[in-house]
């Protein structure tokens, strides 16, 4: 298939980076359409580990064009840091990275407000990455945001920034936080703007030319379905549309040019941050943490873990229109005797096959499980579906059937070659 939208089918960290790295082999252009440096996409090449935050994971393959689309919110200082880190690791950036001139900027007051809001919420906190994502998208929706095109015009940027710093300092003062210096932010951002200038362009036009030239486009989703601003466990969500539609609005590529939606999901469930997670389980959490797994790529926080939640992934298939599935981290279950799958929720004496839209009701749901025998051996060396133990094959077929999409890829380790095309 030509143009693929890849989305997380759970709560983020499904292993999207690894799958993108595999799929980029047969794509020409990789596009990020939403989110910001709250994302952390891990790719392991031999002994090297890369964690991509803003730059599409396709950057690790030469001769692929990587686009940061209009729907992304960019902290220019963080982006430059990421570019420098990659250059130091020998990755070629110049000539293959494009940044949308319409992308909104994350500014220092966004980060400070994000942090203060979380502190003030106390127990009700969202558990954000504190990267200023919510306040930056908030300003975009309120039409007071600054965009990459502003940064490319220093006098325009300075004038707009002055007003925004003044307004946001008032907010910071009411939060009991220290105001920030307009001059310092102006200097740091204008310097970053000079360095980013060679990459900034009208990416909508670039993508339409690429489509006309029959280039294959891969859309790299960030976060996951249940962190979507509209369809997730609001307010315990991020501030962008992480579902498939976000790929179109965030890039300017129309829906009819998308040929396939691929959903990435772990063979179990994880979530970092607060909010409902019906299949959360202390046993599987301790087991995975004991193996040194499931610590956040961005913040290092321990991820909450649970059994595979088919109610959630079935809903994800519905809202994203998922055609094919990539199941990652199958090897995480290699030592489990009896594997549970959440097939329904119980709420107030009723059985639900879709998650409630209200987060309070969602949080009260109890998981209903079916059980399957584990395979109790390593799957890490399997390179074809038939090399997997029969119990693992049955488990994969069962979770794909419950999710309602075709199993296309299975991942049995973080490395590129630990991938099975079904
Ligand atoms: P993303 O945000 O969706 O790209 O996922 P993250 O990179 O935040 O988290 C996924 C973690 O799982 C990373 O540490 C990956 O290296 C790792 N990973 C991905 N697929 C597999 C797999 O099949 N097996 C193992 N053991 N690790 C995997
Ligand atoms: P990738 O792309 C997992 C979570 C945060 C928090 C909520 C809101 O690596 O899958 P934010 O900083 O966005 O305002 O935080 O969303 N979150 C993620 N969880 N993976 C991510 O990205 C996430 N990006 C944000 O933990 O619960
Ligand atoms: Mg991640």
């Amino acid at each position: 298939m030509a143009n693929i939208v890849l989305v997380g089918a759970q709560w983020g960290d499904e292993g999207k980076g690894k799958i993108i790295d595999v799929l980029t082999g047969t794509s020409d252009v990789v596009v990020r359409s939403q989110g910001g440096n709250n994302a952390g996409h891990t790719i392991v090449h031999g002994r090297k580990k890369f964690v991509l935050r803003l730059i599409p994971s396709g950057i690790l393959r030469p001769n692929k064009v990587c686009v940061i689309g209009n729907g992304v919110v960019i902290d220019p200082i963080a982006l430059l840091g990421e570019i420098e880190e990659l250059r130091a690791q020998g990755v070629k950036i110049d000539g293959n990275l494009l940044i949308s001139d319409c992308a909104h900027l994350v500014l220092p007051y966004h980060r400070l407000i994000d942090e203060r809001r979380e502190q003030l919420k106390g127990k009700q906190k969202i558990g954000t990455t504190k990267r200023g994502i919510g306040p930056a998208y908030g300003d975009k929706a309120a039409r007071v945001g600054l965009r990459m095109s502003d940064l490319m015009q220093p006098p325009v940027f300075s004038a707009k920034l002055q007003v925004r710093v003044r307004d946001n300092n008032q907010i910071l003062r009411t939060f009991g936080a220290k105001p920030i210096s307009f001059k310092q932010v102006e200097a740091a951002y204008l310097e970053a703007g000079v360095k980013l200038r060679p990459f900034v362009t009208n990416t909508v036009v670039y993508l339409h030319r690429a489509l006309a030239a029959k280039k294959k486009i891969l859309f790299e989703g960030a976060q996951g379905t249940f962190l979507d601003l509209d369809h997730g466990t609001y307010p315990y969500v991020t501030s962008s549309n992480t579902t498939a539609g976000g790929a179109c609005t965030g890039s300017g590529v129309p829906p009819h040019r998308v040929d396939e939606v691929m959903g990435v999901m772990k063979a179990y469930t994880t979530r970092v941050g607060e909010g409902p997670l019906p299949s959360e389980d202390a046993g599987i959490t301790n087991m995975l943490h004991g193996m040194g797994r499931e610590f956040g790529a961005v913040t290092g926080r321990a991820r909450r873990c649970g059994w595979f939640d088919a109610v959630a992934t079935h809903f994800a298939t519905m809202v994203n229109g998922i055609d094919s599935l990539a199941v990652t981290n199958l090897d995480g279950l290699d030592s489990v005797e009896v594997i549970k799958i959440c097939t329904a929720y119980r709420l107030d004496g009723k059985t639900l096959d879709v998650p409630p839209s209200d987060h309070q009701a969602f949080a009260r749901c109890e998981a209903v499980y079916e059980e399957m025998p584990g395979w109790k051996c390593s799957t890490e060396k399997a390179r074809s579906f038939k090399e997997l133990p029969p119990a693992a094959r049955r488990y994969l077929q069962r979770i794909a059937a419950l999710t309602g999409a075709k199993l296309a890829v299975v991942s049995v380790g973080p490395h590129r070659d630990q991938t099975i095309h079904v």
Side-chain angles (χ1 to χ4, degrees):
M1 282 286 194
N3 303 322
I4 301 177
V5 169
L6 183 135
V7 291
Q10 296 162 322
W11 278 269
D13 300 329
E14 295 90 347
K16 298 176 294 292
K18 150 141 194 196
I19 302 298
I20 289 282
D21 179 57
V22 170
L23 297 183
T24 305
T26 51
S27 309
D28 302 301
V29 183
V30 186
V31 187
R32 269 281 303 270
S33 310
Q34 43 71 226
N37 61 334
N38 50 348
H41 298 173
T42 314
I43 297 166
V44 182
H45 281 180
R47 292 212 186 125
K48 273 194 186 167
K49 180 170 144 180
F50 301 87
V51 179
L52 283 313
R53 273 108 48 196
L54 277 160
I55 299 177
S57 304
I59 201 77
L60 299 185
R61 294 206 192 235
N63 310 319
K64 309 288 174 181
V65 178
C66 288
V67 175
I68 302 180
N70 55 276
V72 175
V73 288
I74 301 176
D75 178 333
I77 312 288
L79 176 56
L80 278 173
E82 195 174 333
I83 290 174
E84 287 315 322
E85 249 175 65
L86 287 170
R87 277 190 184 134
Q89 287 176 286
V91 178
K92 181 177 172 284
I93 308 280
D94 303 279
N96 47 358
L97 176 68
L98 301 176
I99 302 170
S100 167
D101 52 1
C102 291
H104 276 249
L105 303 177
V106 178
L107 284 134
Y109 47 78
H110 293 134
R111 277 202 314 276
L112 292 168
I113 290 172
D114 190 2
E115 214 170 293
R116 273 313 271 163
R117 271 192 195 147
E118 285 280 279
Q119 278 167 3
L120 293 171
K121 277 193 183 129
K123 281 203 175 103
Q124 260 84 53
K125 73 171 198 274
I126 295 166
T128 74
T129 60
K130 298 189 181 141
R131 298 296 189 268
I133 304 298
Y137 276 114
D139 276 1
K140 176 178 175 176
R143 294 155 295 172
V144 291
L146 298 184
R147 308 209 287 187
M148 211 32 109
S149 61
D150 296 318
L151 188 59
M152 296 300 108
Q153 307 168 73
V156 173
F157 176 76
S158 296
K160 289 189 182 178
L161 180 70
Q162 193 156 26
V163 177
R164 296 305 299 140
V165 168
R166 189 197 62 203
D167 291 358
N168 280 284
N169 274 343
Q170 286 193 18
I171 299 172
L172 286 170
R173 278 193 203 96
T174 61
F175 279 174
K178 254 178 47 191
I180 58 166
S181 148
F182 159 67
K183 280 284 167 214
Q184 275 175 15
V185 179
E186 182 195 38
Y189 273 60
L190 287 179
E191 191 189 329
V194 171
K195 293 184 183 154
L196 292 175
R197 184 179 295 281
F199 305 106
V200 177
T201 188
N202 184 333
T203 53
V204 175
V205 170
Y206 171 80
L207 288 170
H208 278 264
R209 289 192 181 136
L211 285 168
K214 300 215 172 350
K215 301 264 191 224
K216 291 182 186 165
I217 302 178
L218 180 57
F219 296 88
E220 173 174 351
Q223 291 82 48
T225 300
F226 292 92
L227 294 174
D228 183 281
L229 183 57
D230 287 86
H231 304 293
T233 55
Y234 190 92
Y236 299 99
V237 293
T238 190
S239 298
S240 64
N241 284 116
T242 62
T243 45
C248 294
T249 53
S251 68
V253 171
H256 72 283
R257 300 308 303 267
V258 174
D259 300 302
E260 180 179 332
V261 179
M262 179 179 270
V264 184
M265 55 196 207
K266 278 180 177 146
Y268 47 90
T269 302
T270 66
R271 169 168 209 166
V272 59
E274 309 306 315
L277 193 67
S279 66
E280 187 168 11
D281 181 275
I284 187 169
T285 302
N286 291 337
M287 178 195 79
L288 291 162
H289 289 170
M291 292 158 79
R293 297 167 73 128
E294 302 309 341
F295 293 93
V298 170
T299 56
R301 289 178 292 173
R303 295 174 183 150
R304 301 156 62 195
C305 306
W307 299 107
F308 186 83
D309 183 341
V311 180
T313 57
H314 185 257
F315 179 79
T317 296
M318 195 169 91
V319 288
N320 292 293
I322 294 174
D323 303 294
S324 57
L325 293 172
V327 178
T328 69
N329 286 274
L330 181 71
D331 53 303
L333 297 179
D334 281 353
S335 64
V336 181
E337 197 101 33
V338 177
I339 302 180
K340 292 186 184 183
I341 304 173
C342 168
T343 54
Y345 298 157
R346 289 290 291 170
L347 178 67
D348 300 331
K350 295 198 183 79
T351 303
L352 308 183
D353 60 359
V354 285
S357 27
D358 176 67
H359 77 92
Q360 285 126 142
F362 205 152
R364 289 194 298 111
C365 285
E366 272 178 53
V368 178
Y369 292 110
E370 67 176 38
E371 293 184 351
M372 291 187 84
W375 42 94
K376 300 280 287 162
C377 62
S378 171
T379 53
E380 286 170 14
K381 294 207 162 64
R383 294 294 176 271
S384 69
F385 196 64
K386 65 175 190 304
E387 280 171 39
L388 287 169
R393 293 198 298 247
R394 280 193 292 275
Y395 177 69
L396 288 165
Q397 278 155 345
R398 181 69 184 139
I399 62 173
L402 289 166
T403 301
K406 191 180 76 201
L407 183 65
V409 178
V410 179
S411 171
V412 291
H415 297 271
R416 201 184 265 174
D417 68 326
Q418 291 180 299
T419 310
I420 297 169
H421 296 273
V422 181

